[in-house]
Amino acid sequence: MPKNSKVVKRELDDEVIESVKDLLSNEDSSDDAFKKSELMVDDQEEKDVDVEEGSDVEDERPAWNSKLQYILAQVGFSVGLGNVWRFPYLCQKNGGGAYLVPYLILLLIIGIPLFFLELAVGQRIRRGSIGVWNYISPKLGGIGFASCVVCFFVALYYNVIIGWSLFYFSQSFQHPLPWDQCPLVKNTSHTFVEPECEKSSATTYYWYREALNISSSLSESGGLNWKMTICLLAAWVMVCLAMIKGIQSSGKIMYFSSLFPYVVLLCFLIRGLLLNGSVDGIRHMFTPKLEIMLEPKVWREAATQVFFALGLGFGGVIAFSSYNKRDNNCHFDAVLVSFINFFTSVLATLVVFAVLGFKANIINEKCVIQNSEKILKLLKIGNLSQDMIPHHINFSSITAEDYNLVYDIIQKVKEEEFDSLGLKSCQIEDELNKAVQGTGLAFIAFTEAMTHFPASPFWSVMFFLMLVNLGLGSMFGTIEGIITPIVDTFKVRKEILTVICCLVAFFIGLIFVQRSGNYFVTMFDDYSATLPLLIVVILENIAVTRIYGIDKFIEDLKDMLGFSPSQYYYYMWKYVSPLVLLCLLVASIVQMGLSPPGYSAWIEDTATEEFHSYPTWGMIVCISLMVLAVLPVPIVFMVRRCNLIGDSSSSLASVSYKRGRIIKEPVNLEGDNTSLIHGKSPSEMPSPNFGKNIYRKQTGSPTLDTAPNGRYGIGYLMADMPDMPESDL
């Protein structure tokens, strides 16, 4: 060993020390956490910590506390009000039990595959909808923005429905219930029943007049309904408080908001099965009408219900999934949540028709009593002969079967003058065939049935609290579909953005709590989501299977899941699902063109609903809703295509430094043959070797660089390192 070897070694060590000191002296004082993280390189291989590219050490992505919490969040988002008041109506309208066949087939063809696709891309890329689709193809980055716009439109009116439920919930703590009887009107001479209520029913009157105080047309605003305004404010406050900390706050609420509806549904099912006539309702529900199943309309409505039941295209599914670890079995999650959603719909259908069967039985009994009294009067005045009536018939305690026997006899004998007798056929099936859905089911039909329950206030409280929880579960996913992509993309504070979003939505939502607000809810429900979401999901499918590449995506799934998904998904994603979605889009456009655009207006004088066409300005609003929702897609495409916005990272791939790991972010994602998703995770990358001079100072000011996908850079640029392995992520 040379004599001066120790001196040389000491000099080399001094150079290394000076290099490190030089490095640290130029760090910003705010980067203490960064400096500490440099020494934590050895621990990263042991800890499974997923972090976002380009963000701060402190800004690690939140994660679900448990798998159960995540599943409940996805179930809460997908299981909503539509499962309670839309699915039973479609089942009744489209062939009863036979409707379940096309629904299940379409669930397997488009529901589960597309739900699985959204879960997979969200979990692997760990971004919201904007970041995911911009990452896969920058030119299709508008898909994420379109999802956000649709989520915002839906949130505007969906929270109004929660407000309605809150109003009914607050009015349920009294006995008898306020919608149990028609109100009496007093004047100077006598007391009489409110004419509008007498012409309709107590629950119908309460809904339209007491709750909504509805106007006669869309153009007649009528001013704000202060009761519903307060309820809407309360609904937005609840959403804001639950979402202000993201999944850290909303995740805990999911345990109640997602599970409580099942407790209520089971209680209602048990109680309903004990009611007289409930079996008739369930039998009517599941009696298959196979001939209806062959109609194209049934398949279109089944596909639409599958599509919206799982929340496809909203961005909420992607947002929730992005907080998972990359090795989570999202295939299992997709199948589990999809079938939970389906069985929830079936459970809700059983409950609804058990209760509606009870209600139909009560109405049928009233019909028998009223018409039996008419027959007795006709017998007294001699219009009917006593010889027509079978001897065993006792009109004081006549059953529905005996009445229908007498009715058939009179109809045959008095065939010519039968219509003038004013008798009605009292069939329980006729009452059950009166299809009701949406608010008509929840706030009128079901509410009327509950007035006949023993301890009706208790059941009313439970029912509307269930509706509130179902609505909130869906709202959490909808708002997450707005907040998460914006936070990921623009790096704003989640708390501030949540408050601003809720405030803006509340003030815009005031149009829905006018006296004409119910008509605006119908307008938004019909036009703001259906076509835009179909277009969004079709583009999602194209982006993954055609632009990114279905083979690479399957490989990514194999790497992420630890096993290769079934070839079934390959053919569904590449061929079947896009074809079915295109057919559904065309069918929806045709249906929209054939159906005159309008709404059902409540006419106070006649106490009935009348169909009104939208005025010219209303049609402009309808078209604007659809155009605004889809507009981000072509705008972003043209901006990217024409390079209208400069890319600050166009010269070199931007590199971010994170806890001793180097993450390379490719600039040109399109046309890259390497996998965008199937890449080495950041933890697999080698740490910088401090023994080599891989850093060089920036020339000029030592201020912090702004880094893509991050609040700020590290104050240093990476020198050329040809031997450094690259990560696709």
Side-chain angles (χ1 to χ4, degrees), residues 91-346:
C91 210
Q92 174 194 22
K93 174 186 173 186
N94 295 319
Y99 173 74
L100 300 179
V101 175
Y103 186 89
L104 272 174
I105 292 174
L106 290 165
L107 181 66
L108 295 173
I109 290 177
I110 61 173
I112 294 177
L114 295 176
F115 192 61
F116 180 24
L117 185 145
E118 290 199 356
L119 289 180
V121 295
Q123 179 176 307
R124 188 61 170 174
I125 301 177
R126 309 199 78 216
R127 300 278 182 173
S129 56
I130 295 176
V132 161
W133 304 114
N134 186 60
Y135 200 83
I136 288 179
S137 174
K139 290 180 181 178
L140 291 180
I143 297 174
F145 288 98
S147 293
C148 289
V149 173
V150 174
C151 279
F152 187 71
F153 285 160
V154 172
L156 288 177
Y157 74 85
Y158 204 86
N159 225 24
V160 176
I161 301 173
I162 298 177
W164 294 343
S165 302
L166 284 173
F167 173 76
Y168 269 80
F169 172 75
S170 66
Q171 298 299 306
S172 298
F173 294 91
Q174 47 189 310
H175 185 73
L177 292 168
W179 49 83
D180 188 28
Q181 300 290 334
C182 284
L184 299 176
V185 180
K186 296 181 180 179
N187 59 15
T188 54
S189 58
H190 63 286
T191 302
F192 57 93
V193 177
E194 171 64 47
E196 185 181 3
C197 184
E198 190 174 24
K199 294 174 184 175
S200 53
S201 68
T203 51
T204 304
Y205 171 81
Y206 191 87
W207 166 243
Y208 284 115
R209 191 55 51 213
E210 296 293 335
L212 300 180
N213 193 19
I214 199 165
S215 61
S216 297
S217 70
L218 182 70
S219 302
E220 184 184 339
S221 168
L224 290 177
N225 181 340
W226 66 269
K227 292 181 288 187
M228 289 304 170
T229 303
I230 293 173
C231 291
L232 178 63
L233 177 61
W236 276 114
V237 168
M238 292 168 64
V239 171
C240 184
L241 292 177
M243 297 298 300
I244 198 164
K245 292 292 184 181
I247 64 169
Q248 304 302 327
S249 54
S250 64
K252 296 178 176 64
I253 301 173
M254 294 296 180
Y255 288 108
F256 179 76
S257 64
S258 296
L259 293 176
F260 180 75
Y262 290 96
V263 175
V264 176
L265 285 173
L266 288 173
C267 290
F268 264 99
L269 180 61
I270 294 170
R271 185 68 189 91
L273 292 174
L274 298 176
L275 297 172
N276 187 26
S278 60
V279 177
D280 295 324
I282 294 175
R283 186 190 303 118
H284 176 83
M285 175 67 251
F286 287 103
T287 301
K289 305 176 182 65
L290 298 177
E291 66 280 0
I292 299 180
M293 194 177 71
L294 300 177
E295 297 179 7
K297 180 185 70 172
V298 174
W299 290 82
R300 178 181 62 81
E301 292 187 341
T304 305
Q305 179 63 16
V306 167
F307 186 85
F308 288 106
L310 294 174
L312 299 174
F314 279 96
V317 174
I318 293 175
F320 280 151
S321 181
S322 70
Y323 298 113
N324 272 329
K325 293 181 179 180
R326 284 193 177 93
D327 59 352
N328 175 62
N329 189 347
C330 55
H331 174 255
F332 172 80
D333 300 341
V335 176
L336 178 64
V337 173
S338 298
F339 278 100
I340 287 177
N341 186 292
F342 170 70
F343 288 118
T344 303
S345 299
V346 175

Side-chain angles (χ1 to χ4, degrees), residues 308-550:
F308 288 106
L310 294 174
L312 299 174
F314 279 96
V317 174
I318 293 175
F320 280 151
S321 181
S322 70
Y323 298 113
N324 272 329
K325 293 181 179 180
R326 284 193 177 93
D327 59 352
N328 175 62
N329 189 347
C330 55
H331 174 255
F332 172 80
D333 300 341
V335 176
L336 178 64
V337 173
S338 298
F339 278 100
I340 287 177
N341 186 292
F342 170 70
F343 288 118
T344 303
S345 299
V346 175
L347 174 62
T349 302
L350 285 171
V351 171
V352 166
F353 277 90
V355 174
L356 291 183
F358 165 69
K359 171 177 171 280
N361 191 269
I362 291 176
I363 294 175
N364 197 58
E365 287 177 357
K366 291 180 179 178
C367 175
V368 169
I369 293 172
Q370 292 172 355
N371 284 275
S372 296
E373 291 175 353
K374 288 183 180 180
I375 293 175
L376 288 174
K377 290 180 181 178
L378 292 171
L379 289 172
K380 287 181 180 179
I381 61 177
N383 286 0
L384 293 177
S385 171
Q386 188 67 42
D387 297 335
M388 295 181 184
I389 311 300
H391 297 294
H392 71 278
I393 300 297
N394 182 5
F395 283 101
S396 61
S397 59
I398 189 171
T399 63
E401 291 78 7
D402 289 342
Y403 168 76
N404 287 319
L405 176 62
V406 174
Y407 178 87
D408 291 338
I409 293 173
I410 296 175
Q411 188 178 29
K412 291 177 182 178
V413 175
K414 297 285 186 178
E415 186 176 354
E416 296 181 358
E417 50 186 299
F418 179 77
D419 293 338
S420 62
L421 298 178
L423 297 178
K424 294 181 180 179
S425 174
C426 297
Q427 299 284 345
I428 196 170
E429 288 78 12
D430 295 338
E431 192 63 33
L432 288 170
N433 281 328
K434 295 178 181 178
V436 286
Q437 65 165 324
T439 55
L441 174 62
F443 298 107
I444 298 177
F446 209 90
T447 304
E448 181 180 347
M450 285 189 296
T451 59
H452 301 288
F453 281 22
S456 55
F458 168 78
W459 293 104
S460 182
V461 167
M462 294 284 283
F463 177 72
F464 289 110
L465 186 58
M466 178 190 73
L467 291 188
V468 170
N469 277 276
L470 284 172
L472 286 176
S474 297
M475 275 299 295
F476 293 158
T478 304
I479 297 299
E480 198 69 56
I482 303 171
I483 301 297
T484 297
I486 295 177
V487 169
D488 287 346
T489 305
F490 301 105
K491 301 302 176 185
V492 297
R493 286 192 60 185
K494 178 167 284 189
E495 296 87 348
I496 296 175
L497 179 62
T498 302
V499 172
I500 292 174
C501 180
C502 292
L503 278 175
V504 171
F506 167 72
F507 284 111
I508 296 177
L510 292 177
I511 64 173
F512 301 106
V513 291
Q514 305 175 97
R515 291 184 60 195
S516 60
N518 188 48
Y519 307 137
F520 282 97
V521 170
T522 302
M523 175 191 291
F524 271 66
D525 190 36
D526 290 341
Y527 293 96
S528 69
T530 306
L531 291 182
L533 280 182
L534 280 171
I535 294 172
V536 164
V537 176
I538 289 172
L539 291 176
E540 287 181 358
N541 193 285
I542 292 172
V544 171
T545 59
R546 307 293 175 182
I547 296 178
Y548 177 68
I550 185 66

Side-chain angles (χ1 to χ4, degrees), residues 32-96:
D32 290 337
F34 167 79
K35 298 175 199 174
K36 295 177 183 177
S37 69
E38 292 179 336
L39 304 178
M40 300 171 64
V41 178
D42 294 337
D43 295 336
Q44 295 307 309
E45 296 300 328
E46 300 175 5
K47 296 181 181 179
D48 186 14
V49 180
D50 287 314
V51 290
E52 290 183 281
E53 299 98 290
S55 60
D56 297 305
V57 172
E58 300 91 349
D59 192 28
E60 289 188 4
R61 195 166 191 81
W64 298 102
N65 291 334
S66 66
K67 181 66 174 281
L68 176 62
Q69 191 180 84
Y70 165 67
I71 293 296
L72 290 178
Q74 291 286 15
V75 169
F77 175 52
S78 65
V79 175
L81 297 172
N83 296 76
V84 175
W85 67 32
R86 176 70 176 167
F87 187 88
Y89 161 77
L90 291 175
C91 210
Q92 174 194 22
K93 174 186 173 186
N94 295 319

